[in-house]
Amino acid sequence: MSITTNLYPSFPVSNFERSLAFYDIVMATLEVPRCNQLESQGIREVEYGLDEDLKRLSIIESPNYSSENIQIFSSSVSFRAKDKSAVGAFFTTAIANGANEVQKPGFSADNSYSASVKDPDGNEIGAYWPNSN
């Protein structure tokens, strides 16, 4: 018997509709679709991800959330891009839609090409291309 547990970040967001608009356009640059939409007890949740890699990002409506609140734990997630230009498109699109820069697109010590931003609620998301050439 084997048990598979998939853990993925859940980002609280203060303005659900704004966040959906942001993530729909930003995740499209990485070809990562909205894959699930739920509502329970008046709280809405949307997931973005690809089935083949089981990596997901969950956005949860949290009207009382503020990025200024003290956070004991923080989450971040990076999604694989198809190429270097997709990382650039991710970054440019995110910044144009209200994100704050964490890391501009560039090569890292392991020769991967990556970028990361904080969404309008302060949650960190990134894109990377492994550059396996």
Side-chain angles (χ1 to χ4, degrees):
M1 173 188 212
S2 68
I3 298 173
T4 302
T5 302
N6 297 319
L7 300 174
Y8 49 88
S10 295
F11 289 168
V13 296
S14 60
N15 182 321
F16 194 71
E17 297 304 325
R18 176 191 69 194
S19 294
L20 286 182
F22 175 84
Y23 279 99
D24 282 350
I25 194 166
V26 170
M27 297 304 276
T29 66
L30 301 174
E31 299 177 2
V32 176
R34 189 190 302 188
C35 61
N36 203 2
Q37 193 159 343
L38 313 160
E39 185 168 342
S40 177
Q41 299 178 3
I43 301 295
R44 297 176 291 174
E45 178 179 357
V46 166
E47 294 176 346
Y48 295 86
L50 300 169
D51 289 335
E52 59 266 17
D53 66 6
L54 298 175
K55 184 178 273 189
R56 301 271 172 113
L57 170 62
S58 179
I59 307 299
I60 299 176
E61 181 177 34
S62 304
N64 296 323
Y65 176 78
S66 169
S67 60
E68 284 81 37
N69 292 345
I70 295 174
Q71 298 177 25
I72 297 172
F73 300 103
S74 63
S75 294
S76 66
V77 64
S78 288
F79 285 86
R80 185 179 180 141
K82 67 179 179 179
D83 55 29
K84 182 179 167 183
S85 65
V87 173
F90 159 83
F91 183 80
T92 302
T93 302
I95 295 297
N97 285 279
N100 291 311
E101 175 186 318
V102 173
Q103 175 195 337
K104 287 183 180 177
F107 286 99
S108 60
D110 67 358
N111 204 33
S112 65
Y113 192 80
S114 62
S116 60
V117 298
K118 287 196 175 188
D119 74 8
D121 283 295
N123 300 301
E124 189 171 337
I125 183 168
Y128 71 95
W129 173 58
N131 188 27
S132 55
N133 296 336

